[in-house]
Amino acid sequence: MSSGSQGVVKAEVRLKWDPSPWDQPPHHLDIIATTYSADAPYGRPVYVVHFDSRSPDGTINMSRHSQTGQGLGYVEAMTLELDRLAPSFARVVVGVAIHQNSGPKTFGDLSNAGVLVVEGYRELLKDDFAQLAGSTATTVAEFTRDASGAWEFHEFVRGFDSDPVLFTAEMGSTTPH
């Protein structure tokens, strides 16, 4: 799915979840993006972008970050300026991971969690993680560059049972299609 001949130009991934009960440690989720080269689109990521980093060229960055889920609506957001990515990149995978610092937590332990992927005002994906109740991390979106150089969006909701560090290494390892 793309937005015409020029493809997806600039996308935003938004994340929401309710804060944990007052007597529990905070739920901390993160949006993570991994980039892959044209030479190895299913190999190791060229770089990873998450809450305390951004892409070296500034094309992928966090515009909002939450460690607790407190706030109204979507409390975390990542912007991907795909049209500015160097031609050496062929694929970007975006996922969500739950920090496991205070013991195991899965998407089933969260309330009102969800992800939204948009391009401008157009909704590309909206998911509430319901089918991922036993997972600690998930991929949500894959962007691939076609032969003309345009970026295409693919829904890529797939659960994982790993911590955020391991998840960054495995999230782009298999083909969604």
Side-chain angles (χ1 to χ4, degrees):
M1 175 156 121
S2 69
S3 63
S5 61
Q6 67 181 17
V8 178
V9 174
K10 183 177 181 181
E12 185 175 73
V13 179
R14 300 173 186 163
L15 182 62
K16 69 175 183 170
W17 69 97
D18 283 346
S20 60
W22 68 272
D23 59 343
Q24 305 271 323
H27 301 312
H28 183 187
L29 283 68
D30 276 322
I31 301 170
I32 300 169
T34 51
T35 60
Y36 301 88
S37 71
D39 296 336
Y42 296 93
R44 296 188 60 156
V46 175
Y47 59 80
V48 177
V49 179
H50 49 81
F51 74 95
D52 65 353
S53 69
R54 67 177 209 146
S55 62
D57 58 5
T59 58
I60 302 173
N61 63 70
M62 297 293 294
S63 55
R64 263 191 318 241
H65 176 63
S66 174
Q67 294 186 9
T68 62
Q70 291 179 313
L72 299 173
Y74 293 92
V75 295
E76 189 155 311
M78 177 180 280
T79 303
L80 299 96
E81 295 181 70
L82 299 166
D83 63 323
R84 291 186 45 229
L85 269 173
S88 60
F89 293 100
R91 185 169 174 248
V92 178
V93 176
V94 181
V96 175
I98 304 170
H99 286 264
Q100 302 296 313
N101 304 6
S102 56
K105 286 185 189 165
T106 66
F107 287 104
D109 296 324
L110 307 174
S111 60
N112 198 32
V115 65
L116 178 66
V117 181
V118 296
E119 180 186 28
Y121 294 104
R122 189 168 68 100
E123 186 177 293
L124 301 174
L125 168 75
K126 188 173 190 176
D127 193 272
D128 64 2
F129 305 125
Q131 77 277 16
L132 302 164
S135 299
T136 60
T138 181
T139 53
V140 294
E142 177 195 53
F143 297 92
T144 56
R145 196 184 300 253
D146 68 18
S148 73
W151 286 92
E152 296 177 343
F153 166 80
H154 307 277
E155 185 175 317
F156 192 30
V157 179
R158 212 169 43 122
F160 291 80
D161 184 21
S162 55
D163 67 55
V165 174
L166 180 58
F167 176 58
T168 63
E170 65 187 10
M171 65 190 274
S173 62
T174 59
T175 315
H177 320 288

